[in-house]
Amino acid sequence: MKIAISGKGGVGKTLLAALLSKTFVESGYSVIAIDADPDGNLAATLGFPHPEKIIPISEMSALIEERTGAPPGKAGGYFKLNPRVDDLPENYSQEYSGIKLMVMGRLKRGGGGCYCPENALLQALVTHLLLGRDEVVILDMEAGIEHLGRATAKAVDKLIIVTEPGRRSVDTVYRVDKLAKDIGLQNIGVVGNKIRDPKDKEFLISSLAGFEFLGFIPYDQAILDADLASRSLVNASQRINNEVRNIYQALLAVSGTTA
Ligand SMILES: Nc1ncnc2c1ncn2[C@@H]1O[C@H](COP(=O)(O)OP(=O)(O)OP(=O)(O)O)[C@@H](O)[C@H]1O
Ligand SMILES: [Mg+2]
């Protein structure tokens, strides 16, 4: 199962990515969680001991040069567009609580997409993770879907767009939905997060008519308390964890697998 998570900044993408990773692992699956947000904090959210020490793949200059034949930042020169990456999940991931984590780092941007060695390596890696692995892969992305393209879209079992009860994050759902459809990705589900009362849920259902809802996660102060205390968020709220288990069940139903 390959799951990608997008949505407006701050809506709870990383919390959902972390909790889904935990739920799949607890259910006996092998999981690779991918932090594909350049300002990501998936490692901290999962409770990794020294998240600040993890070096993103995009900053591993020696690796980038070894695999592509050119140092990072060298646009326009000769380098391999299809570098070898199949060993990277084993050799360049971190593991904690049974969850493998890879931190991608920042894609270089340029007019019409930047052809530079680090982007080639990251793109090859995402393609390999989505098309060439048996594990459950959970991709925590930004407010867009920059890491996905036509070739990888068909491998995504579900693009989950997270939204809060609010106009701006709902607008982002429509924007991401359009970007996804443009690359042929049709398997889209919405998760409503930070739900405080029934009105919040009704607002989302009426604002997003026609979307499939995978679940609604309650707002819980316990998450913020854990955040302020720099504790892992994955064990902070039983109410939230229960709801994420329902979302997990909904995802299994989609893929036709049984729990
Ligand atoms: N259901 C919830 N109840 C209470 N607080 C929450 C809930 N979901 C998320 N939060 C808090 O909201 C903030 C944003 O959550 P998170 O980092 O998961 O969002 P994000 O979409 O990944 O953000 P970013 O775009 O910055 O990566 C965090 O401080 C988190 O602790
Ligand atoms: Mg995040």
Side-chain angles (χ1 to χ4, degrees), residues 87-129:
D87 62 319
L88 299 189
E90 272 68 43
N91 297 330
Y92 293 87
S93 62
Q94 317 283 322
E95 190 162 339
Y96 180 71
S97 292
I99 298 168
K100 277 208 189 86
L101 171 72
M102 297 192 82
V103 179
M104 305 293 256
R106 200 168 287 277
L107 279 175
K108 288 275 175 335
R109 292 181 208 283
C114 164
Y115 291 107
C116 46
E118 56 271 52
N119 283 11
L121 188 75
L122 288 185
Q123 254 153 38
L125 179 57
V126 173
T127 303
H128 170 69
L129 287 163

Side-chain angles (χ1 to χ4, degrees), residues 47-257:
F48 274 68
H50 291 288
E52 73 288 349
K53 290 194 180 148
I54 299 176
I55 299 167
I57 307 282
S58 69
E59 288 171 24
M60 294 184 180
S61 305
L63 175 72
I64 292 164
E65 182 157 11
E66 180 208 310
R67 297 304 169 95
T68 65
K74 197 169 176 294
Y78 290 103
F79 56 88
K80 281 189 200 139
L81 289 173
N82 257 324
R84 180 177 174 217
V85 291
D86 61 333
D87 62 319
L88 299 189
E90 272 68 43
N91 297 330
Y92 293 87
S93 62
Q94 317 283 322
E95 190 162 339
Y96 180 71
S97 292
I99 298 168
K100 277 208 189 86
L101 171 72
M102 297 192 82
V103 179
M104 305 293 256
R106 200 168 287 277
L107 279 175
K108 288 275 175 335
R109 292 181 208 283
C114 164
Y115 291 107
C116 46
E118 56 271 52
N119 283 11
L121 188 75
L122 288 185
Q123 254 153 38
L125 179 57
V126 173
T127 303
H128 170 69
L129 287 163
L130 292 174
L131 293 171
R133 308 288 302 190
D134 290 335
E135 294 99 329
V136 172
V137 174
I138 298 178
L139 206 60
D140 176 11
M141 299 191 299
E142 312 169 73
I145 51 169
E146 284 80 2
H147 289 82
L148 302 177
R150 287 201 165 269
T152 45
K154 62 178 179 299
V156 175
D157 294 288
K158 207 72 168 178
L159 170 66
I160 303 178
I161 313 177
V162 184
T163 181
E164 310 174 326
R167 182 48 59 195
R168 283 173 308 147
S169 67
V170 163
D171 289 346
T172 302
V173 176
Y174 282 98
R175 194 168 61 76
V176 173
D177 179 66
K178 181 172 184 315
L179 291 171
K181 296 212 164 109
D182 286 347
I183 59 164
L185 205 169
Q186 303 281 352
N187 309 328
I188 296 160
V190 173
V191 167
N193 185 26
K194 306 194 192 181
I195 305 295
R196 289 167 192 264
D197 58 45
K199 281 206 306 293
D200 287 345
K201 191 171 161 181
E202 283 158 27
F203 169 82
L204 287 177
I205 290 172
S206 62
S207 310
L208 292 163
F211 281 89
E212 177 200 0
F213 279 93
L214 294 165
F216 294 90
I217 300 174
Y219 178 88
D220 191 339
Q221 177 70 33
I223 293 287
L224 292 180
D225 294 343
D227 202 24
L228 290 175
S230 297
R231 278 186 280 122
S232 155
L233 304 190
V234 293
N235 299 311
S237 164
Q238 197 54 52
R239 281 199 299 147
I240 288 182
N241 290 14
N242 290 344
E243 184 51 31
V244 172
R245 182 153 278 278
N246 293 336
I247 293 169
Y248 156 82
Q249 299 284 4
L251 290 167
L252 289 185
V254 167
S255 80
T257 325

Side-chain angles (χ1 to χ4, degrees), residues 8-15 17 35 37 39-42 45 140-142:
K8 194 183 169 325
V11 291
K13 301 179 290 292
T14 299
L15 180 67
D35 194 341
D37 180 341
D39 291 316
N41 53 353
L42 184 55
T45 304
D140 176 11
M141 299 191 299
E142 312 169 73

